[in-house]
Amino acid sequence: MNVTLRQLEVFSAVARRQNYTRAAEELHMSQPAVSMQIRQLEDHVGLPLFEQIGKRIHLTEAGEKMVSYARIMADLMDEADEVFEALKGVERGTLSISVATTASHFATRLLADFAKSHEGITISLDITNREALRRQLEHNEPDLIIMGQPPEGVEVDATPFMTNPLVMIAPANHPLTQKIHIPLQHFAKEHFVVRETGSGTRGAVQRFFDEHDVPFNTEIEMTSNEAIKQAVEAGLGLGIVSVHTIELELETHRLCILDVEDFPIQRNWYILQRKGKRLSPAAVAFREFVLNEAGRFIRLPATLKPAKRP
Ligand code: PGA
């Protein structure tokens, strides 16, 4: 096949827009020029790539296949570009990072510092929960992911780089803040404000209570740690969150860590990518940065030891 990269680029734009005119606008070409590139590509392939149904155009089966080949070629060209730029000592390229909602509390700081010393790299950051990260891994979407325990069912290369203690929090004036070594059993009757199903924190806490055979009352669900902290402060229930999310509230004494037996729940943060993924030079640089520098950016609060513990 004598296909050109230009034909693939034009094809991808038409497939994405499902419209010749809009693809032509995107590519700053005339519509006849776009149609000609597609016709030539179809001649090379020997099959139609689009079909017109009513006013809209749709991909044929061959067209669907061509979409994946065009994507692979575009990724390879980007990779080649980055590798050659790296050989020239120029740092360029794009870096797409996805992090668990909870990790965003420190990941933004890490990225900001990385960006300062790698100005040529364009960074995109997606913040989502554990379940969504698992789906992204399956589709090999981001360059790198930062999350808690790597997911089961997807083969990954994962490296732990920092601890992630989960602590039980209460409003500063809560009577339990005066107690020490509170047995977990005490909380069988308490109400908790928890993250949504699919959150890594939620899963870890549920497992912990199950393992200790203590009921975990989860009537109030929220999709953000910020909302949980506000709800706990307002007295809606107790919370269990990563210590990385409450730096400010501890400093300003708006929340307290309770001294509960067997707490904190010990977890780790991992940086990972799908097994066998070829990391771009930008991704390799960021991975190294996280492994070497993360500790510098994350200040675990001194109050991780509960205030009342002798
Ligand atoms: P979460 O992330 O925000 O989904 O709870 C933490 C994790 O992956 O453990």
Side-chain angles (χ1 to χ4, degrees):
M1 263 202 304
N2 208 4
V3 172
T4 67
L5 288 173
R6 183 63 174 161
Q7 283 164 0
L8 290 178
E9 189 190 359
V10 172
F11 166 78
S12 297
V14 176
R16 198 169 49 246
R17 302 273 181 170
Q18 295 191 309
N19 185 301
Y20 282 85
T21 313
R22 275 188 242 130
E25 278 164 15
E26 178 184 322
L27 298 164
H28 306 294
M29 292 169 74
S30 69
Q31 195 195 319
V34 167
S35 306
M36 194 177 72
Q37 295 279 356
I38 298 295
R39 239 189 343 270
Q40 285 173 350
L41 184 60
E42 289 181 326
D43 285 348
H44 289 310
V45 175
L47 289 166
L49 300 172
F50 295 103
E51 59 193 355
Q52 182 110 25
I53 302 173
K55 286 208 166 120
R56 302 200 52 192
I57 56 161
H58 296 266
L59 286 162
T60 59
E61 195 186 339
E64 297 278 3
K65 297 238 178 305
M66 186 56 91
V67 166
S68 9
Y69 286 117
R71 190 175 303 139
I72 293 168
M73 306 268 200
D75 285 350
L76 271 176
M77 289 313 291
D78 285 348
E79 185 184 310
D81 202 30
E82 285 172 21
V83 167
F84 293 127
E85 291 299 332
L87 285 178
K88 285 188 248 165
V90 182
E91 276 204 319
R92 272 191 37 190
T94 54
L95 178 61
S96 76
I97 308 289
S98 292
V99 305
T101 315
T102 304
S104 67
H105 288 261
F106 60 83
T108 37
R109 269 185 245 165
L110 270 171
L111 271 174
D113 209 69
F114 177 78
K116 270 186 225 146
S117 47
H118 299 78
E119 281 180 357
I121 297 177
T122 311
I123 300 169
S124 78
L125 173 67
D126 184 28
I127 299 168
T128 185
N129 79 14
R130 179 178 175 80
E131 198 40 46
L133 290 175
R134 205 182 64 81
R135 277 197 300 277
Q136 291 189 3
L137 264 175
E138 270 172 12
H139 296 115
N140 196 15
E141 280 169 7
D143 289 318
L144 289 164
I145 287 185
I146 292 178
M147 68 191 298
Q149 196 61 28
E152 277 146 27
V154 195
E155 283 202 80
V156 295
D157 283 320
T159 314
F161 64 91
M162 187 172 60
T163 58
N164 175 24
L166 306 186
V167 291
M168 198 181 293
I169 51 169
N173 58 0
H174 196 284
L176 285 178
T177 56
Q178 304 304 315
K179 301 253 184 287
I180 59 167
H181 309 315
I182 313 164
L184 192 61
Q185 194 60 44
H186 173 91
F187 297 95
K189 293 202 187 73
E190 290 282 353
H191 295 280
F192 285 90
V193 187
V194 294
R195 285 280 306 279
E196 76 286 3
T197 309
S199 135
T201 310
R202 165 79 179 263
V205 174
Q206 185 68 61
R207 271 195 305 281
F208 179 83
F209 274 75
D210 290 349
E211 275 160 21
H212 289 78
D213 220 7
V214 173
F216 183 45
N217 301 314
T218 58
E219 279 90 10
I220 311 166
E221 272 191 18
M222 302 197 172
T223 51
S224 94
N225 295 310
E226 289 307 313
I228 291 183
K229 290 187 295 185
Q230 284 167 22
V232 171
E233 219 185 307
L236 224 60
L238 299 174
I240 299 176
V241 294
S242 162
V243 80
H244 296 294
T245 65
I246 50 172
E247 209 174 287
L248 202 65
E249 287 75 11
L250 293 178
E251 252 170 51
T252 51
H253 307 288
R254 278 156 44 203
L255 290 172
C256 271
I257 296 177
L258 295 182
D259 183 359
V260 183
E261 268 179 8
D262 294 324
F263 265 71
I265 302 173
Q266 289 298 354
R267 305 193 75 215
N268 285 307
W269 290 115
Y270 289 80
I271 184 155
L272 53 98
Q273 76 270 9
R274 220 185 139 120
K275 200 170 197 70
K277 185 176 181 68
R278 282 164 60 182
L279 291 181
S280 67
V284 170
F286 182 69
R287 189 175 174 282
E288 286 301 301
F289 182 81
V290 170
L291 296 182
N292 296 328
E293 308 288 336
R296 246 182 349 108
F297 290 88
I298 293 109
R299 283 170 283 137
L300 281 185
T303 35
L304 180 54
K305 278 209 289 16
K308 297 288 163 195
R309 181 165 267 172

